[in-house]
Amino acid sequence: MASQYKQQGIALFQVLLMTAIIAVLALQFTQTAKNQVAIATIMADRVKAELTQKSAESAVIFALLTEPLEKNTEAGSLIANQWNFFNKAFTLKHELSPSTAISPTAYNTRSSTVATTLAIQDMNGLVTLYRGGNVKLVARLLKRFAVTDADASIIVNSLVDWQDFDSLVSTNGAEKANYNVQGMPSNMPLQSFSELLYVKGMTPMLAEKIKAFVTIRPQGYFNPMNAPKEVLSLLVPSEKVDNIIRLRDNESLTINEFALQSGIATDEGLYFYTSGLLRITLKTEVNDVVLTKQLDVFVQPNNKYPYIEYGIQH
Amino acid sequence: MKRQHSGFTLIELLISISLLSMIMLLASWSFSMFIDRWEGRLGNFSRAVSESKDFILLNNVISTVTPYVVEKENSLGYYFVLKQNTLKAVSQNGIFHTSGPVFFKLSVEKNLTGEQYLLYQEGALSGTIALDSDLPYSHEKILIDNSSAINFQVYSWQSFTEKVASENPLANSNKTPQWLSEYNAWQSRIMPLTLRVFWDDSSLDISFINDQGRWLTLISQLKSSTTNG
């Protein structure tokens, strides 16, 4: 009897071995399949995010071209009844999100979270660097970020020299001889924000700090009412700024109220009306995928060219 | 009797061994076939993934092609050259320099087996671009590989004046944008609208940033007023 059991033991051993091999293979297969599903899901989510973002972009452009540029809670447009032009983010209502219309498919039955956040900044409320901009204002902005008077003077004057068409070096400025690199300065208006990095005196860290508060585009006029807090502080005493920002966030800041609080009076080149020169930031989230897009546009509904794209940043 | 039960005869052993080896053979053969297929699918999957990644990158670069003004022989125009299946332009999103504008070149090259591939080269943009010189491309990547034929076309007006004429209702120019395989936006003074890439049996259309020629108009006016005044 004992010898019989020994022979059966070998068969058992074989069976165990085979089972082990098959189990290892099966494990490997499930692991790979899991990975593939994860990758494919991310891909699908990305496509979904891209389409959702595209729809949101179209909806926002449509609203900009058809609605007055002010918040109107009575507006039929789901964007115009909640938008603002001082870069305060707002979430798009679900009706605008096409993803709700797409029925879940066999491979994608899990519930997904889809959301698009929008922020619109009137670029007339920013500090323009176009052709050097308002030199005093630019210098004041730089000094806010711990730049010394001397350095600020070098940067603003070099910025003017970089963009003017001549080769005359202004005081504290910089022309060809100071750069010694082919193509610098461009002697043309800045064509991208990153070009600023190469201007004498500018550092990548400083550029990053001022990025949200400047524009390289020409402004028809300046509109401090839509300016970010940091820019408004350059013009208005700080104790007033907080009050103005609080009123603006509560949506109770009228033009008269702003003029009264800030002490700024309109003149040629300074108005309190939202312009069509806008920076639109779209952030779309689909599960773990986050897509951001920034558009610099000029909207003028009554012009031959109602919609002009200056730049797109992904 | 007990003894007979306890062991195997030679014949039994031979039969069992041959049976077993046949099973093993069958098992290993089907196993290798299975693995081959599995890996083939894996390969297909990873190829599909990397292809879609490449298309996303290509789309990011092309869709943000910028109307970038350059000067040559005292005349201003846009930097966008399509010549002999080589495209050169400026984009706000590079593949390698993600935050800044880049100058890039898309060219169709041949590998050793005679198949074509799409080579992408880019460099960070610092000052201005000299139109005819070779640019210092610092990074490169293959975007479409092993294709029988890759081609580019742009959808564009022939020139800025043609576009302006088409907008004038009295001029009756009857001109529309066309698909062109050679294009120089410095000469035409207007950016093309769309790029079409053909490869094998597929094609892809990607639109550029469209500023309606405003940036060039602005800089040209500025320049003439400064130099005259």
Side-chain angles (χ1 to χ4, degrees):
Chain A
M1 286 297 277
S3 57
Q4 261 183 9
Y5 280 127
K6 262 183 193 166
Q7 279 164 9
Q8 279 172 352
I10 289 171
L12 181 67
F13 180 69
Q14 282 176 335
V15 168
L16 280 176
L17 196 73
M18 280 186 174
T19 320
I21 291 172
I22 292 170
V24 167
L25 279 176
L27 268 175
Q28 194 196 333
F29 289 154
T30 25
Q31 201 57 42
T32 336
K34 248 189 190 168
N35 279 342
Q36 290 191 351
V37 168
I39 295 171
T41 312
I42 288 175
M43 286 294 203
D45 283 349
R46 201 190 182 282
V47 171
K48 200 174 186 180
E50 211 157 305
L51 294 175
T52 310
Q53 188 165 75
K54 193 77 199 158
S55 304
E57 185 190 326
S58 305
V60 118
I61 292 164
F62 180 76
L64 287 171
L65 287 167
T66 51
E67 301 281 340
L69 298 186
E70 55 190 85
K71 182 168 172 169
N72 177 8
T73 42
E74 318 272 274
S77 160
L78 291 167
I79 291 177
N81 64 18
Q82 53 172 340
W83 67 11
N84 65 73
F85 301 90
F86 43 87
N87 216 26
K88 190 177 155 196
F90 60 97
T91 310
L92 274 196
K93 296 231 170 78
H94 252 290
E95 285 92 319
L96 289 167
S97 158
S99 52
T100 49
I102 300 170
S103 61
T105 41
Y107 62 87
N108 193 9
T109 43
R110 76 228 146 80
S111 64
S112 51
T113 50
V114 183
T116 301
T117 345
L118 255 170
I120 310 174
Q121 171 67 55
D122 178 1
M123 287 202 278
N124 276 9
L126 302 178
V127 175
T128 183
L129 304 177
Y130 179 70
R131 301 179 71 194
N134 178 339
V135 176
K136 281 183 191 157
L137 195 64
V138 177
R140 243 184 288 167
L141 178 71
L142 293 174
K143 283 180 211 162
R144 233 191 108 84
F145 295 99
V147 177
T148 62
D149 285 7
D151 285 347
S153 172
I154 290 174
I155 295 172
V156 294
N157 286 299
S158 304
L159 201 53
V160 173
D161 275 350
W162 182 279
Q163 298 182 73
D164 63 17
F165 292 94
D166 62 41
S167 313
L168 304 171
V169 187
S170 54
T171 318
N172 279 338
E175 284 284 354
K176 214 169 184 163
N178 304 75
Y179 292 104
N180 221 350
V181 179
Q182 166 73 27
M184 288 191 205
S186 65
N187 281 336
M188 229 182 254
L190 292 175
Q191 299 206 57
S192 71
F193 176 78
S194 307
E195 210 179 310
L196 189 66
L197 291 176
Y198 302 96
V199 173
K200 191 182 166 193
M202 190 50 87
T203 62
M205 242 168 73
L206 181 60
E208 202 48 49
K209 280 181 193 160
I210 64 168
K211 192 171 184 177
F213 313 120
V214 297
T215 172
I216 56 165
R217 305 296 167 190
Q219 293 171 337
Y221 57 91
F222 183 61
N223 177 8
M225 209 169 142
N226 282 334
K229 190 179 174 187
E230 287 75 2
V231 176
L232 201 56
S233 317
L234 306 175
L235 307 157
V236 180
S238 54
E239 66 271 16
K240 299 264 186 184
V241 170
D242 291 334
N243 200 19
I244 292 173
I245 298 292
R246 208 190 57 239
L247 285 173
R248 191 167 73 177
D249 283 345
N250 294 339
E251 290 153 15
S252 49
L253 186 69
T254 59
I255 288 177
N256 288 336
E257 185 68 33
F258 179 78
L260 195 74
Q261 294 270 345
S262 66
I264 300 174
T266 53
D267 62 35
E268 90 181 278
L270 198 153
Y271 296 98
F272 297 144
Y273 297 100
T274 301
S275 75
L277 188 67
L278 303 166
R279 178 176 293 163
I280 305 165
T281 313
L282 296 141
K283 187 174 162 201
T284 307
E285 284 172 80
V286 175
N287 299 321
D288 294 338
V289 177
V290 181
L291 265 190
T292 52
K293 188 175 186 181
Q294 197 175 69
L295 300 130
D296 282 5
V297 300
F298 189 40
V299 184
Q300 33 181 6
N302 299 321
N303 192 278
K304 184 165 70 179
Y305 307 121
Y307 177 67
I308 285 170
E309 283 172 335
Y310 274 131
I312 301 174
Q313 198 90 42
H314 285 292
Chain B
M1 288 298 279
K2 263 188 179 177
R3 263 189 136 187
Q4 271 178 357
H5 276 289
S6 63
F8 291 112
T9 64
L10 183 64
I11 307 276
E12 277 175 335
L13 212 66
L14 280 176
I15 290 173
S16 66
I17 285 174
S18 59
L19 267 176
L20 208 72
S21 59
M22 265 167 71
I23 290 172
M24 287 289 277
L25 199 76
L26 206 76
S28 67
W29 178 69
S30 52
F31 176 71
S32 71
M33 217 171 72
F34 186 60
I35 283 286
D36 275 357
R37 272 207 195 168
W38 177 256
E39 280 181 348
R41 286 213 184 147
L42 273 188
N44 280 347
F45 182 79
S46 51
R47 200 170 330 120
V49 168
S50 80
E51 264 177 21
S52 4
K53 274 186 190 160
D54 286 349
F55 289 146
I56 289 171
L57 293 174
L58 184 68
N59 187 52
N60 273 359
V61 172
I62 302 292
S63 64
T64 56
V65 160
T66 312
Y68 187 83
V69 174
V70 285
E71 188 174 14
K72 185 185 152 192
E73 295 153 11
N74 250 333
S75 171
L76 295 169
Y78 286 123
Y79 181 72
F80 185 99
V81 190
L82 175 62
K83 202 176 175 187
Q84 290 163 350
N85 254 346
T86 302
L87 172 82
K88 291 192 240 175
V90 168
S91 174
Q92 284 182 349
N93 284 85
I95 292 179
F96 302 97
H97 306 88
T98 44
S99 69
V102 293
F103 50 83
F104 71 92
K105 180 166 131 183
L106 279 172
S107 50
V108 181
E109 310 278 336
K110 260 193 184 148
N111 63 18
L112 292 170
T113 55
E115 300 269 79
Q116 293 188 341
Y117 62 92
L118 183 65
L119 181 68
Y120 168 86
Q121 294 168 289
E122 82 169 35
L125 185 70
S126 49
T128 49
I129 288 175
L131 207 55
D132 296 322
S133 65
D134 281 329
L135 298 169
Y137 300 105
S138 57
H139 296 69
E140 61 179 39
K141 181 173 173 35
I142 292 173
L143 289 181
I144 299 174
D145 204 1
N146 288 327
S147 167
S148 53
I150 305 173
N151 278 299
F152 296 121
Q153 276 186 1
V154 286
Y155 188 63
S156 177
W157 299 92
Q158 298 266 16
S159 69
F160 184 64
T161 40
E162 199 176 77
K163 177 183 181 261
V164 171
S166 78
E167 287 162 355
N168 182 356
L170 301 173
N172 257 338
S173 76
N174 289 329
K175 288 280 178 14
T176 50
Q178 288 171 349
W179 286 103
L180 309 163
S181 45
E182 302 253 308
Y183 195 78
N184 188 338
W186 175 73
Q187 279 160 356
S188 66
R189 294 174 60 81
I190 183 154
M191 284 293 284
L193 301 166
T194 305
L195 175 76
R196 184 172 284 175
V197 190
F198 297 91
W199 75 101
D200 300 334
D201 301 326
S202 328
S203 75
L204 187 68
D205 286 11
I206 310 171
S207 292
F208 307 122
I209 294 175
N210 184 359
D211 78 336
Q212 306 281 3
R214 190 182 169 86
W215 193 235
L216 179 62
T217 314
L218 196 78
I219 296 183
S220 301
Q221 281 171 356
L222 197 65
K223 191 172 185 200
S224 65
S225 71
T226 325
T227 34
N228 294 340

